[in-house]
Coordinates of all heavy atoms in Angstrom, one line a residue:
M1 N 59.8 3.8 35.0 CA 58.8 2.7 35.3 C 59.5 1.5 35.8 O 60.2 0.8 35.1 CB 58.0 2.4 34.1 CG 57.2 3.5 33.5 SD 56.0 4.1 34.7 CE 55.3 5.5 33.7
S2 N 59.5 1.2 37.1 CA 60.1 0.1 37.6 C 59.1 -1.0 38.0 O 59.3 -1.8 38.9 CB 61.0 0.4 38.8 OG 60.2 1.1 39.8
D3 N 58.0 -0.9 37.4 CA 56.9 -1.9 37.7 C 57.2 -3.1 36.9 O 56.8 -3.2 35.7 CB 55.6 -1.3 37.5 CG 54.5 -2.2 37.9 OD1 54.8 -3.2 38.6 OD2 53.3 -1.9 37.5
N4 N 57.8 -4.1 37.5 CA 58.1 -5.3 36.7 C 57.1 -6.4 37.1 O 57.4 -7.6 36.9 CB 59.5 -5.7 36.9 CG 59.8 -6.0 38.4 OD1 59.0 -5.8 39.2 ND2 61.1 -6.5 38.7
T5 N 56.0 -6.1 37.7 CA 55.0 -7.1 38.0 C 54.3 -7.5 36.7 O 53.5 -6.7 36.1 CB 54.0 -6.7 39.0 OG1 53.5 -5.4 38.6 CG2 54.7 -6.5 40.4
S6 N 54.6 -8.6 36.1 CA 54.1 -9.0 34.8 C 52.7 -9.6 35.0 O 52.4 -10.8 34.8 CB 55.0 -10.0 34.2 OG 55.1 -11.2 35.0
H7 N 51.8 -8.8 35.4 CA 50.4 -9.3 35.5 C 49.7 -9.1 34.2 O 49.7 -8.0 33.6 CB 49.6 -8.5 36.6 CG 49.5 -7.1 36.4 ND1 48.6 -6.5 35.7 CD2 50.3 -6.1 36.9 CE1 48.8 -5.2 35.7 NE2 49.8 -4.9 36.4
A8 N 49.2 -10.2 33.7 CA 48.5 -10.1 32.4 C 47.2 -9.4 32.5 O 46.6 -9.3 33.6 CB 48.2 -11.6 31.9
P9 N 46.8 -8.8 31.4 CA 45.5 -8.1 31.4 C 44.3 -9.0 31.7 O 44.3 -10.1 31.1 CB 45.4 -7.4 30.1 CG 46.3 -8.2 29.2 CD 47.4 -8.7 30.1
T10 N 43.4 -8.7 32.5 CA 42.3 -9.5 32.8 C 41.0 -8.9 32.4 O 40.9 -7.6 32.5 CB 42.3 -9.9 34.3 OG1 42.2 -8.8 35.1 CG2 43.5 -10.8 34.6
V11 N 40.1 -9.7 32.0 CA 38.7 -9.2 31.7 C 37.8 -10.0 32.5 O 38.1 -11.0 33.1 CB 38.4 -9.3 30.2 CG1 39.3 -8.5 29.3 CG2 38.5 -10.8 29.8
Q12 N 36.5 -9.5 32.5 CA 35.5 -10.2 33.3 C 34.9 -11.4 32.4 O 34.5 -11.1 31.3 CB 34.4 -9.3 33.7 CG 33.5 -9.9 34.7 CD 32.5 -8.8 35.2 OE1 32.1 -7.9 34.5 NE2 32.0 -9.0 36.5
C13 N 35.0 -12.5 33.0 CA 34.4 -13.7 32.3 C 32.9 -13.5 32.1 O 32.2 -13.3 33.0 CB 34.7 -15.0 33.0 SG 33.9 -16.4 32.3
P14 N 32.5 -13.6 30.8 CA 31.0 -13.4 30.5 C 30.1 -14.4 31.2 O 29.0 -14.1 31.4 CB 30.9 -13.5 29.0 CG 32.3 -13.3 28.5 CD 33.2 -13.8 29.6
T15 N 30.7 -15.5 31.5 CA 29.9 -16.6 32.1 C 29.8 -16.5 33.6 O 28.7 -16.5 34.2 CB 30.4 -18.0 31.7 OG1 30.4 -18.1 30.3 CG2 29.5 -19.1 32.3
C16 N 30.9 -16.5 34.3 CA 30.9 -16.6 35.7 C 31.2 -15.2 36.3 O 31.1 -15.1 37.5 CB 31.9 -17.6 36.2 SG 33.7 -17.2 36.0
G17 N 31.7 -14.3 35.5 CA 31.9 -13.0 36.0 C 33.3 -12.8 36.8 O 33.6 -11.8 37.3
G18 N 34.0 -13.9 36.7 CA 35.3 -13.9 37.4 C 36.4 -13.3 36.5 O 36.1 -13.1 35.3
P19 N 37.5 -13.1 37.0 CA 38.6 -12.6 36.3 C 39.1 -13.6 35.2 O 39.3 -14.8 35.5 CB 39.7 -12.3 37.3 CG 39.4 -13.2 38.5 CD 37.9 -13.4 38.4
S20 N 39.3 -13.2 34.0 CA 39.8 -14.0 32.9 C 41.0 -13.4 32.3 O 41.0 -12.2 32.0 CB 38.7 -14.2 31.9 OG 39.2 -14.8 30.7
V21 N 42.1 -14.2 32.3 CA 43.3 -13.7 31.7 C 43.2 -13.5 30.2 O 42.9 -14.5 29.5 CB 44.5 -14.6 32.0 CG1 45.8 -14.1 31.4 CG2 44.6 -14.8 33.5
F22 N 43.3 -12.3 29.7 CA 43.1 -12.0 28.3 C 44.5 -12.0 27.6 O 45.0 -10.9 27.4 CB 42.4 -10.7 28.1 CG 41.7 -10.6 26.8 CD1 40.5 -11.2 26.5 CD2 42.4 -9.9 25.8 CE1 39.9 -11.1 25.2 CE2 41.8 -9.8 24.5 CZ 40.6 -10.3 24.2
E23 N 44.9 -13.1 27.3 CA 46.2 -13.2 26.5 C 46.2 -14.5 25.8 O 45.4 -15.4 26.1 CB 47.4 -13.2 27.5 CG 47.4 -14.3 28.5 CD 48.7 -14.2 29.3 OE1 49.5 -13.3 29.2 OE2 48.8 -15.1 30.2
P24 N 47.0 -14.6 24.7 CA 47.1 -15.9 23.9 C 47.2 -17.1 24.7 O 46.8 -18.2 24.2 CB 48.3 -15.6 23.0 CG 48.4 -14.1 22.9 CD 48.0 -13.6 24.3
A25 N 47.8 -17.1 25.9 CA 47.9 -18.3 26.7 C 46.6 -18.8 27.2 O 46.4 -20.0 27.4 CB 48.8 -18.0 27.9
N26 N 45.6 -17.9 27.2 CA 44.3 -18.4 27.6 C 43.5 -18.6 26.3 O 43.0 -17.7 25.6 CB 43.6 -17.2 28.4 CG 42.2 -17.6 28.8 OD1 41.8 -18.8 28.7 ND2 41.4 -16.7 29.3
A27 N 43.4 -19.9 26.0 CA 42.7 -20.3 24.7 C 41.2 -20.0 24.8 O 40.5 -20.1 23.8 CB 43.0 -21.7 24.4
W28 N 40.7 -19.8 26.0 CA 39.2 -19.7 26.1 C 38.8 -18.2 26.3 O 37.7 -17.9 26.6 CB 38.8 -20.5 27.3 CG 39.5 -21.8 27.5 CD1 40.3 -22.1 28.5 CD2 39.5 -22.9 26.6 NE1 40.8 -23.4 28.2 CE2 40.3 -23.9 27.1 CE3 38.8 -23.1 25.4 CZ2 40.5 -25.1 26.4 CZ3 39.0 -24.3 24.7 CH2 39.9 -25.3 25.3
R29 N 39.8 -17.3 26.1 CA 39.4 -15.9 26.3 C 38.3 -15.5 25.4 O 38.2 -16.0 24.3 CB 40.6 -15.0 26.1 CG 41.2 -15.0 24.7 CD 42.5 -14.3 24.6 NE 42.9 -14.2 23.2 CZ 43.5 -15.1 22.5 NH1 43.8 -16.3 23.1 NH2 43.9 -14.9 21.3
P30 N 37.4 -14.6 25.7 CA 37.4 -13.9 27.0 C 36.9 -14.7 28.2 O 36.7 -14.1 29.2 CB 36.5 -12.7 26.7 CG 35.5 -13.3 25.8 CD 36.2 -14.3 24.9
F31 N 36.7 -16.0 28.0 CA 36.2 -16.7 29.1 C 37.4 -17.2 30.0 O 38.5 -17.2 29.5 CB 35.5 -18.0 28.7 CG 34.3 -17.6 27.8 CD1 34.5 -17.7 26.4 CD2 33.1 -17.3 28.3 CE1 33.4 -17.3 25.5 CE2 32.0 -16.9 27.4 CZ 32.2 -16.9 26.1
C32 N 37.2 -17.5 31.2 CA 38.2 -17.9 32.1 C 38.6 -19.3 32.0 O 39.7 -19.7 32.4 CB 37.8 -17.6 33.6 SG 36.6 -18.6 34.2
S33 N 37.8 -20.1 31.4 CA 38.1 -21.5 31.3 C 37.2 -22.2 30.2 O 36.3 -21.6 29.7 CB 37.8 -22.3 32.6 OG 36.4 -22.2 32.9
Q34 N 37.6 -23.4 29.8 CA 36.8 -24.1 28.7 C 35.4 -24.3 29.2 O 34.5 -24.3 28.4 CB 37.5 -25.4 28.4 CG 36.8 -26.2 27.3 CD 37.5 -27.5 27.0 OE1 38.2 -28.0 27.8 NE2 37.2 -28.0 25.9
R35 N 35.3 -24.6 30.5 CA 34.0 -24.8 31.0 C 33.0 -23.6 30.8 O 31.9 -23.8 30.4 CB 34.1 -25.2 32.5 CG 32.8 -25.4 33.2 CD 33.0 -25.8 34.7 NE 31.8 -25.5 35.5 CZ 31.5 -24.4 36.1 NH1 32.4 -23.4 36.0 NH2 30.4 -24.2 36.8
C36 N 33.5 -22.5 31.1 CA 32.7 -21.3 31.0 C 32.4 -21.0 29.5 O 31.3 -20.6 29.2 CB 33.4 -20.1 31.6 SG 33.3 -20.0 33.4
K37 N 33.3 -21.3 28.6 CA 33.1 -21.1 27.2 C 32.0 -22.1 26.8 O 31.1 -21.7 26.0 CB 34.4 -21.3 26.4 CG 34.2 -21.0 24.9 CD 35.5 -21.1 24.2 CE 35.3 -20.7 22.7 NZ 36.5 -20.6 22.0
N38 N 32.1 -23.3 27.2 CA 31.1 -24.3 26.8 C 29.7 -23.9 27.3 O 28.7 -24.1 26.6 CB 31.5 -25.7 27.3 CG 32.6 -26.3 26.6 OD1 32.9 -25.8 25.4 ND2 33.3 -27.3 27.1
I39 N 29.7 -23.4 28.5 CA 28.4 -23.0 29.1 C 27.8 -21.9 28.2 O 26.6 -21.9 27.9 CB 28.6 -22.5 30.5 CG1 28.9 -23.7 31.5 CG2 27.3 -21.8 31.0 CD1 29.2 -23.3 32.9
D40 N 28.6 -20.9 27.8 CA 28.1 -19.8 27.0 C 27.7 -20.4 25.6 O 26.6 -20.0 25.1 CB 29.3 -18.8 26.8 CG 28.7 -17.6 26.1 OD1 28.0 -16.8 26.8 OD2 29.0 -17.4 24.9
L41 N 28.4 -21.3 25.0 CA 28.0 -21.8 23.8 C 26.7 -22.6 23.9 O 25.8 -22.6 23.0 CB 29.1 -22.8 23.2 CG 30.4 -22.0 22.7 CD1 31.4 -23.0 22.3 CD2 30.0 -21.1 21.6
G42 N 26.6 -23.3 25.0 CA 25.3 -24.0 25.3 C 24.1 -23.1 25.4 O 23.1 -23.4 24.9
A43 N 24.4 -21.9 26.0 CA 23.3 -20.9 26.2 C 22.9 -20.4 24.8 O 21.7 -20.3 24.5 CB 23.8 -19.8 27.0
W44 N 23.9 -20.2 23.9 CA 23.6 -19.8 22.6 C 22.8 -20.8 21.9 O 21.8 -20.5 21.2 CB 24.9 -19.5 21.8 CG 25.3 -18.1 21.9 CD1 26.2 -17.6 22.8 CD2 24.9 -17.1 21.0 NE1 26.4 -16.2 22.5 CE2 25.6 -15.9 21.4 CE3 24.0 -17.0 20.0 CZ2 25.4 -14.7 20.8 CZ3 23.8 -15.8 19.3 CH2 24.5 -14.6 19.8
A45 N 23.2 -22.1 22.0 CA 22.4 -23.2 21.3 C 21.0 -23.2 21.8 O 20.1 -23.4 21.0 CB 23.1 -24.5 21.5
A46 N 20.8 -23.1 23.1 CA 19.5 -23.1 23.7 C 18.6 -21.9 23.1 O 17.5 -22.1 22.8 CB 19.6 -23.0 25.2
E47 N 19.2 -20.8 23.0 CA 18.5 -19.7 22.4 C 18.1 -20.0 20.9 O 17.0 -19.6 20.5 CB 19.4 -18.4 22.4 CG 19.5 -17.8 23.8 CD 18.2 -17.2 24.2 OE1 17.5 -16.6 23.4 OE2 17.9 -17.3 25.4
E48 N 19.0 -20.6 20.2 CA 18.7 -20.9 18.8 C 17.5 -21.9 18.7 O 16.7 -21.7 17.8 CB 19.9 -21.5 18.2 CG 21.1 -20.6 18.1 CD 21.5 -20.2 16.6 OE1 21.0 -21.0 15.7 OE2 22.1 -19.2 16.4
F49 N 17.5 -22.8 19.6 CA 16.4 -23.8 19.5 C 15.1 -23.2 19.9 O 14.0 -23.7 19.5 CB 16.7 -25.0 20.5 CG 17.6 -26.0 19.9 CD1 18.8 -26.3 20.5 CD2 17.3 -26.6 18.8 CE1 19.7 -27.2 20.0 CE2 18.1 -27.6 18.2 CZ 19.3 -27.9 18.8
R50 N 15.1 -22.1 20.7 CA 13.9 -21.4 21.0 C 13.3 -20.6 19.9 O 12.1 -20.4 19.8 CB 14.1 -20.5 22.2 CG 14.3 -21.3 23.5 CD 14.7 -20.4 24.7 NE 13.7 -19.3 24.8 CZ 13.9 -18.3 25.7 NH1 15.0 -18.2 26.4 NH2 13.0 -17.4 25.8
V51 N 14.1 -20.3 18.9 CA 13.7 -19.5 17.8 C 13.1 -20.4 16.7 O 13.8 -21.3 16.3 CB 14.8 -18.7 17.2 CG1 14.3 -17.9 16.0 CG2 15.4 -17.7 18.2
P52 N 11.8 -20.3 16.4 CA 11.3 -21.2 15.3 C 12.0 -21.0 14.0 O 12.1 -19.8 13.6 CB 9.8 -20.8 15.3 CG 9.8 -19.4 15.9 CD 10.9 -19.3 16.8
A53 N 12.3 -22.1 13.4 CA 12.9 -22.0 12.1 C 11.9 -21.4 11.0 O 10.9 -22.0 10.9 CB 13.5 -23.3 11.7
Q54 N 12.3 -20.4 10.3 CA 11.4 -19.9 9.3 C 11.8 -20.4 8.0 O 13.0 -20.3 7.5 CB 11.6 -18.3 9.3 CG 11.2 -17.8 10.7 CD 10.4 -16.5 10.5 OE1 10.2 -16.0 9.4 NE2 9.9 -15.9 11.6
T55 N 10.9 -21.0 7.3 CA 11.2 -21.5 5.9 C 11.1 -20.3 4.9 O 10.2 -19.5 5.0 CB 10.1 -22.5 5.5 OG1 8.8 -22.0 5.7 CG2 10.3 -23.8 6.4
P56 N 12.0 -20.3 4.0 CA 12.0 -19.2 3.0 C 10.8 -19.3 2.1 O 10.2 -20.4 1.9 CB 13.3 -19.4 2.2 CG 13.6 -20.9 2.4 CD 13.1 -21.2 3.8
P57 N 10.3 -18.1 1.6 CA 9.1 -18.1 0.8 C 9.4 -18.9 -0.5 O 10.4 -18.8 -1.1 CB 8.9 -16.6 0.4 CG 10.2 -16.0 0.7 CD 10.8 -16.8 1.8
Q58 N 8.4 -19.8 -0.8 CA 8.7 -20.7 -1.9 C 8.4 -20.1 -3.3 O 8.7 -20.6 -4.3 CB 7.8 -22.0 -1.8 CG 8.2 -22.8 -0.6 CD 7.7 -24.2 -0.8 OE1 6.8 -24.5 -1.6 NE2 8.1 -25.1 0.1
D59 N 7.8 -18.9 -3.3 CA 7.5 -18.3 -4.6 C 8.8 -17.9 -5.3 O 8.8 -17.5 -6.5 CB 6.6 -17.1 -4.7 CG 6.3 -16.5 -3.4 OD1 5.6 -17.1 -2.7 OD2 6.8 -15.4 -3.1
A60 N 9.9 -17.9 -4.6 CA 11.2 -17.6 -5.2 C 11.5 -18.6 -6.2 O 12.2 -18.3 -7.2 CB 12.3 -17.5 -4.1
Q61 N 11.0 -19.8 -6.0 CA 11.3 -20.9 -7.0 C 10.4 -20.8 -8.2 O 10.7 -21.3 -9.3 CB 11.2 -22.3 -6.3 CG 12.1 -22.5 -5.2 CD 12.0 -23.8 -4.6 OE1 11.2 -24.7 -5.1 NE2 12.6 -24.1 -3.5
Y62 N 9.2 -20.2 -8.1 CA 8.3 -20.2 -9.2 C 8.2 -18.8 -9.8 O 7.4 -18.6 -10.7 CB 6.9 -20.6 -8.7 CG 6.9 -21.9 -8.0 CD1 6.9 -22.1 -6.7 CD2 6.9 -23.1 -8.9 CE1 6.9 -23.4 -6.1 CE2 6.9 -24.3 -8.3 CZ 6.9 -24.5 -6.9 OH 6.9 -25.7 -6.4
G63 N 9.1 -17.9 -9.4 CA 9.0 -16.5 -9.9 C 9.9 -16.3 -11.1 O 10.0 -15.2 -11.6
D64 N 10.5 -17.4 -11.6 CA 11.4 -17.2 -12.7 C 10.6 -17.2 -14.0 O 9.9 -18.1 -14.4 CB 12.4 -18.4 -12.7 CG 13.5 -18.1 -13.7 OD1 13.4 -17.3 -14.6 OD2 14.5 -18.8 -13.5
P65 N 10.6 -16.1 -14.8 CA 9.8 -16.0 -16.0 C 10.3 -16.9 -17.1 O 9.5 -17.2 -18.0 CB 10.0 -14.5 -16.4 CG 11.3 -14.1 -15.7 CD 11.4 -14.9 -14.5
R66 N 11.5 -17.4 -17.0 CA 12.0 -18.3 -18.0 C 11.3 -19.7 -18.0 O 11.3 -20.4 -18.9 CB 13.5 -18.6 -17.8 CG 14.3 -17.3 -18.2 CD 15.8 -17.5 -17.9 NE 16.0 -17.8 -16.5 CZ 17.2 -18.1 -15.9 NH1 18.2 -18.1 -16.7 NH2 17.3 -18.3 -14.7
T67 N 10.6 -20.0 -16.8 CA 9.9 -21.2 -16.7 C 8.6 -21.2 -17.4 O 7.9 -22.1 -17.7 CB 9.7 -21.6 -15.3 OG1 8.9 -20.6 -14.6 CG2 11.0 -21.8 -14.5
E68 N 8.2 -19.9 -17.8 CA 6.9 -19.8 -18.5 C 7.0 -20.2 -20.0 O 7.9 -19.8 -20.7 CB 6.5 -18.3 -18.5 CG 5.0 -18.1 -18.8 CD 4.6 -16.7 -18.6 OE1 5.2 -16.0 -17.7 OE2 3.7 -16.2 -19.3
D69 N 6.1 -21.0 -20.4 CA 6.2 -21.6 -21.7 C 5.5 -20.7 -22.7 O 4.3 -20.4 -22.7 CB 5.5 -23.0 -21.7 CG 5.8 -23.7 -23.0 OD1 6.6 -23.2 -23.8 OD2 5.3 -24.8 -23.1
Ligands
LIG1 ZN1 34.4 -18.1 34.0

């Protein structure tokens, strides 16, 4: 094996679809850049805001038999 071309493994950036260097030197992997990572995180946050927050059932607080006198 005389292939000494040290090309780092690359993956497809989930945000822009471009090549992303997948190695410790790339702090934003699997994204290609901080910008793409922030975009993805922003998309996640947007999805979270679209989901209505569900309040837990309150009978869990009144279901304790020890509170019965
Ligand atoms: Zn990207």
Side-chain angles (χ1 to χ4, degrees):
M1 298 299 180
S2 58
D3 185 12
N4 59 356
T5 52
S6 60
H7 59 85
T10 56
V11 296
Q12 192 176 30
C13 175
T15 301
C16 71
S20 169
V21 182
F22 198 82
E23 62 176 2
N26 178 13
W28 322 114
R29 66 187 187 280
F31 304 95
C32 68
S33 63
Q34 182 180 18
R35 176 176 160 272
C36 281
K37 185 174 185 177
N38 286 342
I39 289 174
D40 188 76
L41 290 178
W44 266 94
E47 285 289 325
E48 295 246 343
F49 277 121
R50 286 173 54 186
V51 178
Q54 299 220 356
T55 53
Q58 290 198 353
D59 18 285
Q61 296 180 8
Y62 302 101
D64 193 342
R66 288 176 298 177
T67 57
E68 195 172 329
D69 194 1

